[in-house]
Amino acid sequence: MNTRMRRAAVAVAATAMAVSLAACGSAKEAGEKSTGTTTGSATADGAIKVGLLLPENQTARYEKFDKPLIEKQVKELTGGKGEVVYANAKQSATTQNSQVDTMITNKVDVLILDAVDSKAIASAVKKAKDAGIPVVAYDRLAEGPIEGYTSFDNEEVGKVQGKALLTALGDKAKAGDIVMMNGSVTDPNAALFKKGAHAELDGKVNVGKEYDTVEWKPENANTNMAAAISALGKDKIVGVYSANDGMAGGIITALKAAGVSPLPPVTGQDAELAGVQRIVAGEQYMSVYKPYAPEAEAAAKMAVALAKGEKTDSIATSKVDSPTTKGVPSVLVPVVSLTKDNIKDTVVKDGVYTVAEICTDKYAAACGSAGLK
Ligand code: BGC
């Protein structure tokens, strides 16, 4: 068999498996539920299998925080008996769809899903539901019949970024142009960050250039920033809205390469270690600190409840509508604007980083003047 045929055969086998599981799933559901809610089939002893699907691994948060936090919570909530099966889609929506298929084949009890592409994943969410596997959308609101959602108030994230940029610009807000570097169009959060930022910035700044960044990649932000500098002129850029820290890194590299000095204020998000260090060094103005522990905890609680056949309503604190599914039980964790002044009171206080981690030799002097000891 050549590779393509083999792949096709595997795909057919996977589909057949999904179909037979789907038959079991819906039979069970039809007999037991009238609400349309899918609940898992795990036994009450906690020996559940949670499938965790994360979208990429260039942004530090996923494998540094989200994954270990969810694993820890699942262990705690199941008396050490629960297991997390992990897959990272590395920015490919196609890969993520097949990862869901594999998890269905491997009979996980529940899925925690951070979608690469919230629309493209909808059919996989439906397939999981039909196979009796409930799905909790994590951080990004996946379309399709999800049973729960945990994230932050993402429009508020954009507002926090926009407000901070205005504070940094002060009376120079209209003295030149700003460049806006938004996230990926496949990520519904990116649209919310952009909406929130525009709500604060529109009318108060001149947006010289604006980009939606393919796959959220720092290298794409770097290329777009270099193009913006050429088009607008290096002395004309007064500030840069960057939707996250990874892209801020690429943007700051482009500004430095073009000889822009002093650097204009640049925003970010995620409180990545490299971002926090740039803030200390005065190269990046701010980030948005999103406490990942409560987000992960809520997702794990929802997943474990669903796997045991319970609902997510008692864990949820609000309801959210997706384009396909209304009234999804949700937990949205509040966010904090992170600048040089509150590093100690946020990421250090919460134990995200120690001062020693932030203040390596390269940043020792800057840490000293920022009062980080
Ligand atoms: C997340 C951000 C992250 C970005 C890129 C967004 O959906 O909320 O924290 O920086 O995706 O992965």
Side-chain angles (χ1 to χ4, degrees):
M1 238 197 264
N2 66 27
T3 318
R4 194 187 293 164
M5 280 170 69
R6 202 173 308 128
R7 271 196 207 126
V10 171
V12 169
T15 312
M17 175 75 97
V19 168
S20 63
L21 284 171
C24 304
S26 40
K28 182 176 159 228
E29 243 204 307
E32 291 179 6
K33 307 255 167 230
S34 55
T35 58
T37 303
T38 312
T39 48
S41 52
T43 46
D45 72 351
I48 59 164
K49 226 196 252 182
V50 178
L52 172 63
L53 295 130
L54 296 182
E56 53 126 324
N57 60 1
Q58 264 189 311
T59 301
R61 58 170 288 184
Y62 300 111
E63 297 195 344
K64 186 164 175 159
F65 298 114
D66 299 291
K67 177 176 180 272
L69 284 166
I70 289 171
E71 286 168 341
K72 181 171 163 261
Q73 285 297 329
V74 168
K75 278 244 137 52
E76 281 180 22
L77 292 163
T78 58
K81 289 187 188 145
E83 180 197 347
V84 173
V85 187
Y86 173 64
N88 189 301
K90 301 196 179 147
Q91 294 287 14
S92 164
T94 313
T95 302
Q96 194 165 59
N97 273 280
S98 16
Q99 289 173 336
V100 173
D101 281 340
T102 307
M103 299 240 178
I104 294 173
T105 308
N106 291 342
K107 298 190 176 151
V108 297
D109 295 296
V110 60
L111 287 174
I112 296 179
L113 165 69
D114 193 341
V116 173
D117 183 324
S118 60
K119 290 191 187 299
I121 202 71
S123 57
V125 171
K126 169 84 169 44
K127 220 192 261 182
K129 183 183 167 84
D130 289 347
I133 301 170
V135 179
V136 176
Y138 187 69
D139 204 74
R140 302 179 182 173
L141 188 56
E143 295 189 16
I146 54 169
E147 312 288 345
Y149 173 53
T150 75
S151 190
F152 299 90
D153 180 342
N154 292 306
E155 195 171 331
E156 181 62 23
V157 171
K159 287 189 178 164
V160 166
Q161 293 170 319
K163 269 185 216 153
L165 187 56
L166 289 178
T167 305
L169 290 169
D171 57 7
K172 298 203 179 61
K174 282 199 167 175
D177 291 322
I178 72 153
V179 175
M180 290 189 72
M181 207 69 71
N182 306 301
S184 162
V185 292
T186 63
D187 176 355
N189 289 349
L192 294 169
F193 304 147
K194 184 173 171 178
K195 187 177 174 206
H198 271 290
E200 293 297 328
L201 295 168
D202 287 357
K204 299 187 183 130
V205 296
N206 305 315
V207 180
K209 285 275 170 198
E210 177 164 13
Y211 303 86
D212 293 318
T213 312
V214 174
E215 296 184 347
W216 278 103
K217 286 199 167 145
E219 56 267 37
N220 294 338
N222 176 276
T223 307
N224 290 338
M225 191 64 213
I229 297 167
S230 306
L232 303 171
K234 74 177 174 111
D235 303 323
K236 294 278 154 38
I237 298 167
V238 293
V240 183
Y241 165 83
S242 167
N244 80 353
D245 288 347
M247 296 200 302
I251 289 163
I252 290 165
T253 305
L255 289 165
K256 284 182 177 171
V260 176
S261 174
L263 288 169
V266 178
T267 64
Q269 161 177 203
D270 288 338
E272 283 194 3
L273 183 55
V276 174
Q277 289 173 323
R278 284 191 297 267
I279 293 173
V280 171
E283 291 186 338
Q284 183 177 324
Y285 177 67
M286 63 86 70
S287 184
V288 179
Y289 170 46
K290 306 196 297 187
Y292 299 117
E295 183 189 31
E297 185 181 345
K301 276 191 180 149
M302 284 187 178
V304 171
L306 288 164
K308 286 187 186 158
E310 294 158 17
K311 289 192 177 184
T312 52
D313 300 74
S314 62
I315 300 154
T317 49
S318 61
K319 294 219 169 188
V320 163
D321 294 341
S322 86
T324 61
T325 311
K326 306 293 164 216
V328 178
S330 303
V331 171
L332 301 179
V333 179
V335 302
V336 182
S337 173
L338 181 76
T339 57
K340 213 184 254 192
D341 304 331
N342 64 352
I343 292 174
K344 225 180 191 166
D345 299 332
T346 53
V347 285
V348 173
K349 183 168 156 246
D350 287 0
V352 179
Y353 308 116
T354 62
V355 170
E357 277 175 298
I358 301 168
C359 302
T360 53
D361 289 352
K362 188 173 166 196
Y363 299 98
C367 274
S369 27
L372 278 174
K373 281 186 241 112

